[in-house]
Amino acid sequence: ITQALTLDPDSAEAHATLGLSLTRVGKNAEAEPSLRRAVALNPNYASAQQWLGVCLLLLAHMDEALGHLKLATELDPLSPTIWLNYGLGLSNAGRQIEGIIAFDRALTLQPSFQLALAGKSSALVELGRFPEAVALVRSRPSGAGRAEEDNQLFVFARAGLKAEAEALLAQTSAPAIRGLLALGRTDEALSRLSRRNSAAARSGYLWDPIYDSVRNDPRWVKYMAETGQTEAHARAQAWRAAHPPEKPTAK
């Protein structure tokens, strides 16, 4: 990327790729200028708009993040990944119904898109629509992969299907933090915090209500500091307090 920028300092693609790469290793504050430069050079570059939106979610600038993510869907309405990230942004903002619409758009384009299925089932859980969430994760074949099993574990635990959640837990050697917290296994969950966790996971740390029970735990506070997320975490919680999520509407 450095060589590409040496050859063409005004390459939107190079600036965007640099920003994406920095985001993926948790250097979000460093990524932001590169991504802003990319969209300034080419405002119609849908992927750059998407990646800037994701970066701003990780920096807890929710309103601006949603603006860029929405614009990305308008620039490239046939990208399931862009619809996925817009759905995740809406869900993180507590706008679960709109999030489900975005996830459904992603699934229309790619019916087997596991991340969109997981996003939709989590949104259903937050709305209290547990039967729908459980039916959705049950529709997926067993052994479909660790990510799907992690999502099933989370949904089963939140839906009160503890025996099934525990059975899934017994089958995995590396359970996801969300599922462990949903089962009330706080110590085990916090022991799994890692700097290697993905950008998607780190975004959840800022916004997902499942983490509310540990936000003041010294181990959590230490992890936020070690990974440079303390300020973003504080901004995210202030934004959430000012923007209450949609109330559950159990069906």
Side-chain angles (χ1 to χ4, degrees):
I1 298 171
T2 301
Q3 181 65 17
L5 287 170
T6 299
L7 295 169
D8 183 0
D10 291 330
S11 168
E13 291 82 1
H15 284 288
T17 305
L18 176 59
L20 175 64
S21 300
L22 289 167
T23 299
R24 285 181 169 170
V25 295
K27 297 184 177 181
N28 306 309
E30 295 177 45
E32 183 184 1
S34 295
L35 292 166
R36 289 192 184 280
R37 178 64 175 155
V39 300
L41 287 165
N42 184 358
N44 294 323
Y45 186 5
S47 291
Q49 295 284 359
Q50 171 193 211
W51 297 335
L52 177 56
V54 171
C55 178
L56 291 170
L57 278 179
L58 292 163
L59 291 169
H61 299 301
M62 174 60 80
D63 295 315
E64 190 179 4
L66 289 177
H68 287 284
L69 291 168
K70 185 176 187 297
L71 178 56
T73 68
E74 295 167 355
L75 292 170
D76 187 358
L78 298 181
S79 168
T81 300
I82 285 176
W83 280 109
L84 165 73
N85 281 315
Y86 185 41
L88 292 173
L90 290 166
S91 290
N92 285 336
R95 293 160 59 180
Q96 307 297 347
I97 294 173
E98 294 173 84
I100 289 171
I101 293 171
F103 294 133
D104 280 340
R105 290 291 296 272
L107 290 167
T108 297
L109 295 163
Q110 187 177 326
S112 61
F113 196 179
Q114 190 276 328
L115 293 175
L117 288 162
K120 181 177 179 178
S121 60
S122 293
L124 289 168
V125 163
E126 295 306 325
L127 289 171
R129 293 161 60 174
F130 300 115
E132 292 175 75
V134 169
L136 185 59
V137 299
R138 286 197 197 282
S139 70
R140 307 300 299 149
S142 60
R146 178 184 163 190
E148 289 202 9
E149 291 176 354
D150 285 340
N151 186 54
Q152 287 177 337
L153 171 59
F154 172 77
V155 171
F156 289 159
R158 287 291 307 275
L161 303 176
K162 186 175 181 180
E164 291 186 65
E166 293 283 1
L168 277 175
L169 182 60
Q171 297 172 17
T172 178
S173 60
I177 296 173
R178 294 172 80 233
L180 292 169
L181 286 175
L183 279 171
R185 297 185 175 222
T186 302
D187 290 338
E188 190 176 350
L190 291 175
S191 73
R192 297 197 58 76
L193 287 170
S194 168
R195 295 190 183 194
R196 295 189 298 273
N197 289 334
S198 68
R202 292 194 301 272
S203 176
Y205 294 164
L206 299 184
W207 302 102
D208 194 330
I210 194 64
Y211 300 104
D212 288 350
S213 64
V214 297
R215 294 195 189 278
N216 295 317
D217 188 292
R219 294 164 291 182
W220 180 270
V221 174
K222 180 182 178 183
Y223 176 76
M224 289 292 112
E226 289 176 345
T227 54
Q229 297 180 86
T230 299
E231 291 184 10
H233 188 264
R235 277 196 299 272
Q237 304 324 302
W239 191 95
R240 291 179 66 216
H243 301 80
E246 293 165 333
K247 295 181 180 180
T249 55
K251 290 188 177 180

